[in-house]
Amino acid sequence: MKASVRAQMSQSLNLTPQLLQSIRLLQLTAPQLEMELRQALDRNPMLELDEGDEAGEVDAESPDASDEVAYEAAAWDELPDPQFMSGMSGGASMGDEDATARIAGGVSSDWRVRLLDELRLDWKPADLALAAWWLDRTADTGLLEGERDALTAEAAAELGADPSALEIVRLRLLHGMWTGLCAVDAAECLGAQLDRMPDCEALSTARSIVRDHLATLARHDSKALASAIGCSIDVADRAVALILSLEACPVPDAPSQGDDHIVPDVVVRKLGGTWRVSLNGRTLPKVRVSPHCEAGLSRAPGDVSALRGLLDEARWLVRGIAMRNDTLMRTTQVLVERQQAFLDQGEESIAPLTLREVADAIGMHESTVSRITTGKYIQTPRGTFELKRLFAVRLEGAEISGAAVKAIVKRLIDAEPPHAPLADETIAGLLARQGIRIARRTVAKYRDQLDIAPARARQRPVAMAAAR
């Protein structure tokens, strides 16, 4: 065995405690930030409440949003993306851990991010990249948005991956912790869940129903179901009960965060024909470095290193809050500017908008925009909602967002004749007349997301419709 010495150069990013604090402040929600500030006031005598001005809304022209703050905000913009956000792409290894991933944060409202965050503990980076691709093509119902073979061919061309490797990853998701995810159809989703159940008398019958007789099951006709399978009605009923115990949608709800009340971080209103954005300063205590303590410390004799450490901590906290507010204000201004039509006219006018477009507009990275918009709420004349709602995915092949199309679908269904409801294919035809070409299954997907029943279930007799 031959021993050798090899020199190797590498780059690494070391995060200072101050920068880690700034990143954590960036992603705190309003209630979390209020608790953080009150705890800091209790433990640090160098901080005090700023009661010089009445707390209120801070406009975009506030002197707090200085050039110095904007310059220092770029410090966290140099950070790499967390690996689960990038799908483990770029050849990064598990050893190249993103230091920001060690910062405690809230649970994401996106189930895809939550699942990838769990899988990254055990899965290889290459498999995670393929899993992220499949999840991006999976609807909120847990089923694939398209034909499996077509999606596999698209992934093979886009990622350069072997089709068999893609199918293996899909099957791992299908039979993984959220059993039934990434299924081709409802039969495969339910079948995967049955495969994990303990053996019982009704299990084989339930598999047969799921595989070949879902349409008969939907009619709730036990006699026809038993006849089609060749079993007794009692056995068919037990199999049906077993199927009804399964999850129709394998995507679980986000875990509760404990405190469900909403505090808006920013307020937007229309004044003089212009949309104005302001920070909601009424919800947070305003803190500053105590000028008396700072002046007294400069003249204090002896060893005051401990007090100087508290003073530095207070300065960094005040500066970090200013950086957070500046980034939140700039991001919200861009969102409001790009979505003025939505604020004026409603859901049907929401424009396609991505994290990258906003990040380019404010000169920061996508990860910064993602952190500052997660868990932050905006109060508008149209209601209070999360900032992330102002982002919208562009509908493929069109200059309109999927959210806008969903709103149009809801309007068409709300205005349909009660005795002659619109079928999904008819709605797709009406949208095509407006230049929006989408498939019937896409209309069905939007209708399911709106919790609207199919046309047959919405139909009411003429006499009942007249009575209403």
Side-chain angles (χ1 to χ4, degrees):
M1 185 174 180
K2 182 179 178 181
S4 61
V5 178
R6 182 177 62 180
Q8 183 177 358
M9 298 181 63
S10 63
Q11 290 183 337
S12 63
L13 179 65
N14 296 322
L15 300 183
T16 64
Q18 294 86 358
L19 185 53
L20 286 170
Q21 181 192 49
S22 298
I23 301 167
R24 192 165 60 84
L25 291 174
L26 185 71
Q27 61 189 29
L28 290 180
T29 63
Q32 292 170 342
L33 182 59
E34 180 181 7
M35 182 179 298
E36 180 83 10
L37 294 180
R38 297 197 182 280
Q39 290 176 351
L41 286 168
D42 290 339
R43 69 172 181 265
N44 193 334
M46 297 296 171
L47 285 172
E48 67 178 14
L49 281 173
D50 186 1
E51 299 177 347
D53 298 322
E54 182 180 356
E57 296 174 3
V58 182
D59 292 332
E61 293 78 15
S62 170
D64 290 338
S66 63
D67 292 339
E68 179 184 1
V69 169
Y71 174 77
E72 291 177 349
W76 63 55
D77 200 43
E78 301 297 328
L79 296 172
D81 282 335
Q83 291 175 341
F84 71 87
M85 291 180 62
S86 58
M88 291 294 197
S89 61
S93 65
M94 291 298 291
D96 299 329
E97 182 191 1
D98 174 23
T100 62
R102 299 192 295 268
I103 302 172
V107 177
S108 173
S109 57
D110 190 336
W111 59 267
R112 298 170 183 84
V113 175
R114 297 201 309 271
L115 178 58
L116 287 174
D117 200 18
E118 294 184 30
L119 295 181
R120 67 192 294 262
L121 300 175
D122 302 311
W123 284 40
K124 296 180 180 179
D127 292 340
L128 270 181
L130 301 184
W133 197 94
W134 279 117
L135 294 179
D136 285 341
R137 274 74 181 174
T138 302
D140 291 337
T141 58
L143 304 182
L144 292 179
E145 293 183 312
E147 298 294 333
R148 179 185 58 186
D149 294 341
L151 292 175
T152 301
E154 180 184 349
E158 182 177 329
L159 304 177
D162 183 69
S164 60
L166 285 162
E167 181 61 13
I168 289 173
V169 169
R170 188 188 74 86
L171 291 176
R172 289 178 67 185
L173 293 170
L174 178 68
H175 298 281
M177 61 179 67
W178 296 356
T179 307
L181 191 65
C182 295
V184 174
D185 51 27
E188 187 178 39
C189 174
L190 298 175
Q193 296 179 56
L194 288 173
D195 290 341
R196 301 194 66 172
M197 300 192 72
D199 193 18
C200 63
E201 181 183 359
L203 186 59
S204 60
T205 305
R207 286 198 179 105
S208 178
I209 294 175
V210 166
R211 184 175 59 250
D212 302 318
H213 304 289
L214 276 181
T216 307
L217 174 66
R219 295 198 298 268
H220 304 286
D221 191 342
S222 299
K223 185 176 180 179
L225 196 59
S227 176
I229 300 173
C231 66
S232 66
I233 295 179
D234 183 58
V235 172
D237 287 340
R238 289 201 298 271
V240 170
L242 184 61
I243 294 172
L244 294 178
S245 69
L246 305 176
E247 294 289 342
C249 175
V251 178
D253 295 331
S256 174
Q257 297 298 301
D259 189 0
D260 295 331
H261 75 278
I262 294 176
V263 178
D265 298 84
V266 286
V267 179
V268 58
R269 58 169 58 92
K270 198 168 189 178
L271 300 174
T274 303
W275 288 101
R276 301 278 301 218
V277 178
S278 57
L279 295 178
N280 185 11
R282 295 187 176 90
T283 60
L284 299 176
K286 298 181 66 177
V287 298
R288 66 180 180 183
V289 178
S290 173
H292 304 290
C293 293
E294 191 173 15
L297 186 59
S298 64
R299 300 188 298 269
D303 184 11
V304 291
S305 56
L307 293 177
R308 290 195 181 278
L310 290 174
L311 178 62
D312 291 339
E313 179 184 333
R315 287 171 174 169
W316 270 103
L317 178 62
V318 173
R319 184 172 297 178
I321 294 171
M323 293 163 64
R324 173 191 185 273
N325 292 342
D326 176 70
T327 306
L328 178 60
M329 177 68 76
R330 294 166 61 194
T331 302
T332 307
Q333 284 180 308
V334 173
L335 289 172
V336 170
E337 178 184 345
R338 301 291 179 89
Q339 298 294 6
Q340 288 190 33
F342 161 71
L343 295 173
D344 286 327
Q345 303 166 25
E347 289 281 353
E348 294 186 21
S349 300
I350 190 167
L353 188 62
T354 63
L355 287 172
R356 179 179 294 276
E357 291 173 342
V358 175
D360 291 343
I362 65 175
M364 290 188 174
H365 196 271
E366 292 176 61
S367 61
T368 303
V369 177
S370 178
R371 289 185 181 100
I372 199 62
T373 54
T374 299
K376 312 301 188 302
Y377 286 83
I378 180 172
Q379 179 180 314
T380 75
R382 295 195 172 273
T384 300
F385 44 81
E386 194 174 2
L387 279 172
K388 281 190 176 296
R389 184 178 171 186
L390 294 177
F391 294 99
V393 178
R394 185 182 304 275
L395 193 65
E396 185 176 356
E399 294 298 323
I400 191 172
S401 68
V405 176
K406 186 190 298 185
I408 297 175
V409 170
K410 184 177 186 306
R411 174 172 58 81
L412 291 174
I413 293 177
D414 289 342
E416 69 187 4
H419 62 282
L422 300 176
D424 296 339
E425 188 173 353
T426 304
I427 295 175
L430 293 174
L431 292 173
R433 295 180 183 179
Q434 303 179 34
I436 306 171
R437 301 191 179 278
I438 60 175
R440 181 203 59 79
R441 63 178 179 83
T442 305
V443 175
K445 179 185 75 172
Y446 290 154
R447 179 176 49 73
D448 288 340
Q449 292 175 355
L450 293 167
D451 198 21
I452 297 176
R456 179 181 299 178
R458 302 196 307 270
Q459 187 173 14
R460 297 193 298 272
V462 177
M464 183 183 298
R468 294 173 67 92

